[in-house]
Each structure stands twice: as structure tokens, then as C-alpha cells.
Amino acid sequence: MVLPHEPEFEQALEELSTSLQPFLEANPQYKKALEIVQVPERIVNFRVVWEDDNGVPQVNRGFRVQYNSALGPYKGGLRLHPSVNLSILKFLGFEQTFKNALTGLSMGGGKGGADFDPKGKSDSEIRRFCVAFMTELSRHIGSDTDVPAGDIGTGAREIGYLFGAYKKLKNEFTGMLTGKGLTWGGSFIRPEATGYGLIYYVEHMIAKACPEYSLDKPTTLVAISGSGNVSQYTALKVIELGATVLTLSDSKGSLVAEKGYTKEFIHKIGELKLKGGSLETLANEPGYTYHAGVRPWTLVPTVHIALPGATQNEVSGEEAEALVKAGVRIVAEGSNMGCTTEAIEIFEASRRSGPGGVWYAPGKASNCGGVAVSGLEMAQNSQRLAWTTKEVDNKLKAIMAECYGICLSAGTKWSGEELTDGVLPSLLAGANVAGFIKVADAMKAQGDWW
Ligand code: NDP
């Protein structure tokens, strides 16, 4: 059910519904499931009053959308950003429900956050906000009920403050948040998981579609947007494998590395971002060119792999055209709904044109590594054990391989297209249909539709 003024949620619902058409025509009984699954099970909407450094009360709007619990406890991040509203959180919670299904782990879907802007706030202000936010949120979450994590604006520092507040309120040390510190219940590889998982997924795409652009070659050119958690670890994995990262960006502009980013430079950006800094302060670094107010997609003449990693709708139709002209072969989202509807149409049309076209992977498949390792963190917390880096990384690789395989096979079966002349299956259709069937079948077994 769409309420007025929910453009992001409408976009996500439209994308899923369109992808499901061939499946629903063959299986009309599932139309009822689509009608029901689009309504969140519960939305909690609350006031957060916190004290700034001058002793003045400040107020924000807090939310938790508990979308679907058919496959496990609600699971999904908390976004702290001034743009946060119910439309954005409903779209994120809806996407999360199907993404979590694609990981094969026992997790339902949810999302939350507040229209609080951590930028420009002192550590003490952020701590007081987190305590105030958790004072209400703690009534609605728990390790078997709802397990939030990080997202835009919510990193390790915020998770720490939120966890500490919950523990004091409930007198319980439990795994009701993921992304925790390594010495207090966190998992190895969780900070890296979304970026690394994205690259593990992309490696399967490259092997099938364009092995000439494998990531062990410095001649393979990669454009990444964003410079936060997801984009930093995406870039580090690409550099580790041997390909060339040409771009990163933030909310103010893009930084192009003429000869490619180095690992050391990504670490420097990591430190800058922890302090709330902007890429524009790196504008005079030798070998790097800063472009204010522009996203990366039109800035480099040749790109083979494009990986949006900042926020929703960050690739427009025009930018998609520019990427196609630049020779892009793989577009895979690290961000959620990174591409606009127009951009997706351009990439999908290119795929349908046959060999040499663009192959697009939606975030609910390609960025599921983050929530997958959150699921592994929950499993370790339940066992009161910590697995090694290698164990977690191997499990992440296996989950991404499985997710890719599911999307490929459902895309082959349910895209409603004749896949002749070397046309690749739609991973968009595959991810949507496979995620939907899993959630819908569990809901049916639990009596949520019939
Ligand atoms: P961070 O807060 O660490 O980084 C966000 C990045 O995106 C920053 O570079 C930020 O710029 C930029 N950004 C934020 N809003 C905008 C905007 N409106 N326009 C342009 N740039 C913007 O977040 P994450 O890296 O964690 O998340 C990035 C994306 O990945 C989001 O879509 C998130 O939902 C998705 N995601 C994250 C997962 C995770 O594990 N963290 C898991 C799966 C998906 P600036 O520094 O200037 O603010």
C-alpha cells in the first residue's frame, strides 16, 4: 500500500512488481502475496529529544519500520541523515526483506533511523542523541525480535553508543545490534563485508560476461561513487586484486585519480571521513582532480566496471548513457537503489542487445554481503563464539556465490525474455523473483496469506 508522497517507496514497489509480472502470470495465486507483503508489519514513529553542547534541547524524528518477519527477526540498518523520512525507510525496509532472503540466512527485513545529522556535531552530542534514540527504540528491538545495524551516518562509534545505552536500560549484554566492536561481540569482516561482498559478486559477473576485464588486471578500470564504509572497502578490495580505481565521491563532489587510487590514499580518506571531512579538502593532492557538485559517471572517458556506493538514485538516465558510451560492461550497486528507473532501463536495454552489452546487478543482490555478515555476527553471538577472519570471509564468499547463482537461475527462468544470441539473464528479475518467492512461501506457511 502506497501512501501519498512516498516516491522512493513507490519506485521500489514498482520495480519489484514489474519484475514479477512473468512469474505472476504463470502463478496468479501469488498476486495476493504481493498485495500483502508490501504493507509493513509495524512502523514505530517516535520523538527524540537530546541536549546539545549549550544545554539546549533539540528534537528529531525517530523511526523503525519492522517490515517482514517471515524468515527471522527483523534485520536492517539505522540511517542517521537529515533526509530521512518514512518513504525512504519504507523503501529500504522493503528492499531489505528480499535482500535478506537472498542471503539464505534466517533474517526478516526492517530499517530505521532519524533525521538527525551527525555532521558538525561533537562526540558528546552524538552520544547524547544515541542514548535518547535508544531510550525509545529499546522497547521495540531485541536479539530475537529486531536486530538493527549501521547505515549512512551510523558507523562503529554510533553502534557503540547505542549498544551501551541498550545495555544500561535493559541490564542485558545481548546481540541486539550488529556491527559491534571486535572485543564486545562484533564479527571479523563486518566493516569490510558490504564492499568485499560486492566485489565477490562482481567477480562472478565478470567471469561470465567479460573475462577480459578480470579484476587482477591494472587495465580494468573501475569507477566507484561514495567514500564511506561501502565505497572504501569496495575500493580496497579492487586495489588488492589488482584493477584500477579511478573515482570516489561524496555529497559535495568527486575526486578522480588520474593513475588510480592507492591503498594508502583510501586509508587517508577513511580517517578524513571519520572526522566528518569532505573530499574537497584533497583537491590539491598531486595526481588527483576534484570536481565540485558532480558525480563520477561522466568524468572519465573509459570505464569497464561502475559501482555506485553512496545513496539511492545516484545514477541518472543521462549518466547511464555516458557510462554506456564509456564502454561500461558491469554495473553493480553497493548502495541501495543506486540507479534511477531510467538508468536501469538503459542498462537492461543494453543487456538485451546481446554480447558486449551492460550487465546490471541490483543492490538487493550485489550488496547483501553486509547483512550476510551481520547474520553471521548474530550466529556467533548466539554461540558466544568468535570465528576467525578466514572463516567469516570464506562464508561471505560462499553466500555471495550462492546469491549470484540464485539470481542467475531465477533470471533465466522468469525474466519473460527469450535468451537467444548470447543475451545474459536479467539479474534484476532474478533477484526480485527469487527473493519474493522465498518470503511469500514462508508467509503462506505461517498463515499470512492463502
Ligand atoms: P556512509 O555514511 O559510510 O557513507 C555514505 C557516503 O555516501 C558518503 O560518501 C556520503 O558523502 C555519500 N552520500 C550520502 N548521502 C548522499 C547524497 N544524498 N548525495 C551524494 N552522496 C551522498 O554510508 P555507507 O557506506 O554505509 O552506505 C552507503 C550506501 O550503501 C547506502 O545506500 C546504504 O544504504 C548502502 N548499504 C550499506 C551497507 C553497510 O553495511 N553499511 C549494507 C548495504 C547497503 P558525505 O561523506 O559527504 O556525507
Side-chain angles (χ1 to χ4, degrees):
M1 191 177 78
V2 178
L3 300 173
H5 316 300
E6 293 189 329
E8 293 86 1
F9 175 62
E10 277 177 60
Q11 185 183 336
L13 179 59
E14 178 67 24
E15 180 209 288
L16 184 94
S17 310
T18 307
S19 291
L20 288 179
Q21 282 321 307
F23 172 76
L24 292 178
E25 270 164 37
N27 301 277
Q29 71 279 18
Y30 278 86
K31 287 183 183 163
K32 190 45 88 179
L34 176 59
E35 187 187 324
I36 292 173
V37 76
Q38 61 188 268
V39 183
E41 288 176 18
R42 187 176 302 104
I43 296 178
V44 190
N45 202 325
F46 52 98
R47 184 177 73 187
V48 186
V49 181
W50 55 279
E51 185 182 346
D52 71 15
D53 284 344
N54 299 317
V56 177
Q58 300 289 340
V59 65
N60 285 100
R61 281 147 200 82
F63 307 89
R64 186 71 184 163
V65 180
Q66 298 184 328
Y67 224 106
N68 193 294
S69 60
L71 297 178
Y74 307 107
K75 180 89 197 86
L78 295 171
R79 181 172 288 192
L80 298 180
H81 194 271
S83 65
V84 161
N85 60 37
L86 208 46
S87 169
I88 289 181
L89 294 181
K90 273 183 70 181
F91 120 65
L92 288 165
F94 189 63
E95 293 271 298
Q96 192 85 45
T97 298
F98 305 107
K99 178 194 307 194
N100 294 2
L102 292 171
T103 66
L105 301 174
S106 173
M107 297 183 289
K111 200 82 188 190
D115 59 355
F116 170 79
D117 189 356
K119 273 198 204 137
K121 304 287 189 303
S122 69
D123 256 19
S124 305
E125 287 177 324
I126 289 174
R127 181 169 41 77
R128 287 194 293 272
F129 169 82
C130 288
V131 171
F133 182 77
M134 188 50 92
T135 302
E136 177 58 35
L137 188 69
S138 60
R139 300 168 199 253
H140 311 287
I141 63 171
S143 53
D144 291 323
T145 313
D146 182 352
V147 185
D151 191 74
I152 292 179
T154 308
R157 173 184 53 185
E158 290 74 20
I159 292 291
Y161 292 152
L162 291 164
F163 183 82
Y166 182 96
K167 200 184 60 175
K168 288 180 197 105
L169 285 160
K170 299 273 187 174
N171 195 20
E172 268 178 22
F173 192 108
T174 132
M176 83 304 160
L177 282 175
T178 58
K180 299 185 290 297
L182 280 178
T183 52
W184 43 278
S187 173
F188 282 115
I189 303 282
R190 177 60 191 91
E192 297 88 343
T194 309
Y196 281 18
L198 172 65
I199 296 304
Y200 297 155
Y201 194 96
V202 163
E203 282 185 301
H204 292 287
M205 295 174 74
I206 293 174
K208 186 163 178 72
C210 47
E212 65 276 25
Y213 295 126
S214 67
L215 292 174
D216 55 359
K217 294 181 185 154
T219 47
T220 297
L221 304 179
V222 183
I224 300 174
S225 65
S227 48
N229 169 276
V230 173
S231 308
Q232 287 169 32
Y233 286 106
T234 302
L236 286 171
K237 185 51 90 177
V238 171
I239 294 166
E240 179 193 319
L241 292 170
T244 301
V245 174
L246 291 177
T247 67
L248 288 175
S249 67
D250 65 14
S251 53
K252 293 198 177 142
S254 299
L255 193 65
V256 177
E258 280 132 38
K259 293 198 177 135
Y261 276 86
T262 60
K263 200 172 74 174
E264 292 69 31
F265 205 81
I266 304 288
H267 289 311
K268 186 171 171 167
I269 289 176
E271 280 161 30
L272 177 76
K273 286 293 163 192
L274 259 187
K275 292 186 228 134
S278 160
L279 292 180
E280 69 188 345
T281 58
L282 304 172
N284 295 325
E285 292 279 339
Y288 292 84
T289 317
Y290 182 72
H291 301 261
V294 194
R295 292 187 287 232
W297 317 123
T298 54
L299 296 177
V300 277
T302 309
V303 182
H304 306 124
I305 320 279
L307 306 171
T311 190
Q312 65 273 4
N313 289 327
E314 49 164 329
V315 185
S316 68
E318 276 175 19
E319 289 164 324
E321 299 272 19
L323 281 170
V324 173
K325 279 204 190 96
V328 80
R329 298 293 304 281
I330 302 279
V331 178
E333 293 173 345
S335 49
N336 287 308
M337 209 164 75
C339 296
T340 57
T341 308
E342 296 74 32
I344 295 175
E345 278 166 9
I346 289 161
F347 296 141
E348 286 287 89
S350 165
R351 175 186 59 77
R352 282 186 212 104
S353 71
V358 180
W359 208 17
Y360 161 76
K364 64 169 75 69
S366 51
N367 75 29
C368 79
V371 74
V373 174
S374 276
L376 300 180
E377 183 172 327
M378 289 163 71
Q380 292 169 80
N381 291 166
S382 300
Q383 293 181 309
R384 302 239 187 273
L385 283 176
W387 302 335
T388 63
T389 301
K390 200 165 174 51
E391 270 177 292
V392 179
D393 200 27
N394 284 342
K395 285 183 201 293
L396 172 62
K397 281 183 184 152
I399 289 170
M400 298 315 295
E402 179 75 14
C403 174
Y404 167 78
I406 293 170
C407 296
L408 191 67
S409 114
T412 306
K413 192 164 174 200
W414 292 117
S415 61
E417 297 165 356
E418 291 246 351
L419 298 178
T420 48
D421 303 324
V423 173
L424 291 161
S426 166
L427 294 174
L428 174 69
N432 282 332
V433 175
F436 171 78
I437 294 175
K438 195 156 181 206
V439 174
D441 284 352
M443 287 171 67
K444 189 171 187 195
Q446 293 168 29
D448 289 333
W449 65 281
W450 50 93

